[in-house]
């Protein structure tokens, strides 16, 4: 049976078609293709190859060597050239000094340092009052859009709010006007009562898969209060690093070295109405195991091929 539904978080139209999960391409377990090399001579992001980096923007050191750093993107989507009609900054965040590091094998300490630099660069970029949104994302492996194999993320400051975020804010605004409460508070309550789609929950975060997802198996790590991303304290960042370590361990066990995209949705910046009391910060992790193609690109309507509760059941951890 096919069904037209609406994404829980952003209002996108989704076709539910569970029998498509039997497609051969969606049943392939991706075999590990992780390099064993901690250092690659020609990699611009490896420790020891600093000569390839034109401009570093922030560095976290330990034992007199860098662990994680951010650098200006050599091929930016956007930059601050005065001739541009749209201006901002675009950094590459080098997740780890080791070439063979990735989210599936990083320690909780390495996740913590990475989250610290995410927060630091976000906070720096928002200080430009012309900036309205800070976009933070990660592509892992070429099938997810990565251009280099060394582990890295990206952060971009934009002088406008992307349309999909505008829509999310509108949905939260409408819910608040109608119900008088934060939509995410209500969602947390419902998911904890339902239990089936919850992967993990503690005092700070809820990890779950929404009932209806634009992308099949869209894992959401949701902050349980409405704190700004750049104000999250170090204790909660430590907690989040543990959560990420456990989650990616489970993902690797279930799906192997699977390409993925991760991105942060958060409040707009430098605007009078920043939806502080109506919106909660959350990460999305989209596994590229569940493919999409011409139909989705031509219509903007995505097909969900596996029930959220079935995927969540495989990934639950304590």
């Amino acid at each position: 049976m096919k069904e037209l539904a609406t994404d829980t978080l952003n209002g996108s139209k989704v076709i539910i078609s569970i029998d498509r999960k039997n497609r051969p391409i969606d049943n392939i377990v991706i075999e590990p293709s992780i390099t064993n090399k901690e250092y690659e001579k020609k990699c611009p992001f490896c420790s020891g190859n600093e000569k390839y980096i034109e401009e570093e923007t922030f560095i976290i050191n330990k034992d007199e060597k860098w662990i994680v750093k951010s650098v200006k993107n050599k091929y930016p989507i956007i930059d601050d050239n005065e001739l541009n009609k749209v201006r901002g900054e675009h950094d590459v965040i080098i997740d780890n000094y080791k070439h063979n590091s990735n989210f599936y094998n990083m320690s909780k300490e390495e996740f913590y340092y990475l989250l610290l630099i995410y927060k630091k660069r976000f906070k720096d970029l928002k200080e430009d009052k012309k900036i309205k949104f800070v976009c933070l994302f990660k592509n892992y492996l070429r099938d997810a859009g990565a251009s280099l194999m060394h582990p890295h993320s990206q952060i971009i400051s934009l002088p406008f709010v992307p349309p999909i975020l505008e829509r999310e804010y509108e949905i939260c605004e409408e819910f608040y006007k109608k119900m008088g409460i934060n939509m995410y508070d209500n969602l947390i309550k419902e998911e904890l009562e339902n239990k089936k789609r919850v992967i993990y929950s503690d005092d700070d975060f809820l990890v779950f898969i929404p009932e209806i997802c634009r992308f099949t198996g869209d894992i959401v790590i949701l902050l349980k209060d409405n704190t700004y991303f750049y104000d999250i304290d170090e204790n909660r960042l430590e907690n989040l690093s543990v959560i990420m370590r456990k989650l990616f361990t489970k993902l690797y066990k279930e799906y192997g070295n699977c390409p993925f995209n991760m991105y942060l949705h958060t409040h707009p910046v430098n605007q009078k109405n920043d939806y502080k009391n109506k919106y909660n910060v959350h990460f999305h992790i989209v596994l590229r195991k569940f493919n999409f193609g011409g139909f989705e690109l031509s219509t903007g309507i995505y097909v969900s091929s596996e029930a959220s509760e079935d995927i969540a059941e495989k990934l639950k951890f304590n």
Side-chain angles (χ1 to χ4, degrees), residues 251-267:
L251 286 170
Y252 185 81
K253 182 178 180 180
E254 187 64 33
Y255 300 115
N257 190 39
C258 187
F260 67 87
N261 300 101
M262 184 180 79
Y263 54 92
L264 176 70
H265 276 185
T266 185
H267 307 82

Side-chain angles (χ1 to χ4, degrees), residues 4 13 41 47 51 67 91 106 109 117 136 164 183 196 205 212-213 219 221 223 243 247 260 271 294-295 312:
L4 183 64
K13 293 299 180 185
K41 184 176 181 180
S47 178
K51 63 184 179 181
I67 300 298
D91 276 11
M106 278 168 52
E109 182 181 49
I117 206 167
L136 172 64
I164 195 163
M183 184 187 82
K196 292 181 180 180
F205 297 97
I212 307 297
C213 305
I219 300 165
I221 303 177
L223 184 62
I243 289 170
L247 175 61
F260 67 87
Q271 296 194 78
F295 174 78

Side-chain angles (χ1 to χ4, degrees), residues 93-123:
I93 296 173
I94 305 173
D95 297 351
N96 197 288
Y97 70 95
K98 294 181 291 188
H99 191 76
N100 60 350
S101 173
N102 63 70
F103 272 29
Y104 295 120
N105 65 23
M106 278 168 52
S107 68
K108 63 182 180 181
E109 182 181 49
E110 289 170 325
F111 273 115
Y112 175 67
Y113 288 134
L114 181 58
L115 290 168
L116 278 180
I117 206 167
Y118 282 174
K119 174 184 170 180
K120 166 63 178 172
R121 289 306 292 145
F122 190 108
K123 195 167 188 175

Side-chain angles (χ1 to χ4, degrees), residues 37-53 74 99 147-150:
K37 294 182 179 180
E38 186 172 303
Y39 171 77
E40 181 64 52
K41 184 176 181 180
K42 295 183 179 180
C43 175
F45 294 163
C46 279
S47 178
N49 293 347
E50 284 75 15
K51 63 184 179 181
Y52 295 116
I53 301 298
K74 191 175 181 179
H99 191 76
S147 58
L148 287 172
M149 291 302 98
H150 194 108

Side-chain angles (χ1 to χ4, degrees), residues 53-64:
I53 301 298
E54 295 182 357
E55 186 178 353
E56 297 170 338
T57 55
F58 193 74
I59 302 174
I60 295 178
N61 292 305
K62 182 184 179 185
D63 299 328
E64 299 183 350

Side-chain angles (χ1 to χ4, degrees), residues 201-218:
S201 178
D202 62 23
D203 291 342
D204 299 320
F205 297 97
L206 174 69
V207 185
F208 74 110
I209 301 177
E211 182 177 10
I212 307 297
C213 305
R214 184 167 54 131
F215 304 114
T216 302
D218 182 1

Side-chain angles (χ1 to χ4, degrees), residues 48-250:
N49 293 347
E50 284 75 15
K51 63 184 179 181
Y52 295 116
I53 301 298
E54 295 182 357
E55 186 178 353
E56 297 170 338
T57 55
F58 193 74
I59 302 174
I60 295 178
N61 292 305
K62 182 184 179 185
D63 299 328
E64 299 183 350
K65 68 178 182 179
W66 69 269
I67 300 298
V68 56
K69 68 167 68 174
S70 60
V71 303
K72 291 292 185 185
N73 194 315
K74 191 175 181 179
Y75 306 102
I77 292 173
I78 192 172
D79 60 42
D80 58 1
N81 189 312
E82 292 184 0
L83 299 178
N84 293 343
K85 292 183 178 179
V86 55
R87 296 171 60 188
E89 296 185 55
H90 186 171
D91 276 11
V92 173
I93 296 173
I94 305 173
D95 297 351
N96 197 288
Y97 70 95
K98 294 181 291 188
H99 191 76
N100 60 350
S101 173
N102 63 70
F103 272 29
Y104 295 120
N105 65 23
M106 278 168 52
S107 68
K108 63 182 180 181
E109 182 181 49
E110 289 170 325
F111 273 115
Y112 175 67
Y113 288 134
L114 181 58
L115 290 168
L116 278 180
I117 206 167
Y118 282 174
K119 174 184 170 180
K120 166 63 178 172
R121 289 306 292 145
F122 190 108
K123 195 167 188 175
D124 290 345
L125 293 174
K126 82 172 187 67
E127 292 306 307
D128 182 346
K129 300 306 178 185
K130 298 187 296 295
I131 296 306
K132 305 304 178 188
F133 187 78
V134 179
C135 177
L136 172 64
F137 64 96
K138 176 179 176 61
N139 306 325
Y140 177 64
L141 297 181
R142 295 200 189 281
D143 285 349
S147 58
L148 287 172
M149 291 302 98
H150 194 108
H152 66 283
S153 308
Q154 299 181 60
I155 189 166
I156 305 175
S157 59
L158 298 172
F160 60 87
V161 176
I164 195 163
L165 271 300
E166 287 186 332
R167 180 57 183 148
E168 283 194 11
Y169 302 148
E170 288 171 2
I171 289 171
C172 291
E173 184 81 70
E174 291 165 3
F175 189 93
Y176 192 88
K177 287 180 178 177
K178 182 177 180 181
M179 306 299 294
I181 59 172
N182 179 316
M183 184 187 82
Y184 292 96
D185 291 344
N186 185 69
L187 180 63
I188 290 166
K189 180 175 180 293
E190 289 183 345
E191 291 297 342
L192 290 177
E193 288 177 351
N194 177 274
K195 297 181 181 179
K196 292 181 180 180
R197 294 181 292 271
V198 173
I199 296 171
Y200 174 80
S201 178
D202 62 23
D203 291 342
D204 299 320
F205 297 97
L206 174 69
V207 185
F208 74 110
I209 301 177
E211 182 177 10
I212 307 297
C213 305
R214 184 167 54 131
F215 304 114
T216 302
D218 182 1
I219 300 165
V220 176
I221 303 177
L222 175 65
L223 184 62
K224 285 188 175 179
D225 64 37
N226 57 4
T227 302
Y228 297 125
F229 179 68
Y230 52 85
D231 281 340
I232 296 176
D233 62 54
E234 292 188 6
N235 287 334
R236 283 196 286 183
L237 287 183
E238 287 184 0
N239 185 15
L240 182 55
S241 69
V242 173
I243 289 170
M244 285 189 162
R245 169 63 180 154
K246 290 182 177 180
L247 175 61
F248 278 92
T249 298
K250 290 287 288 189

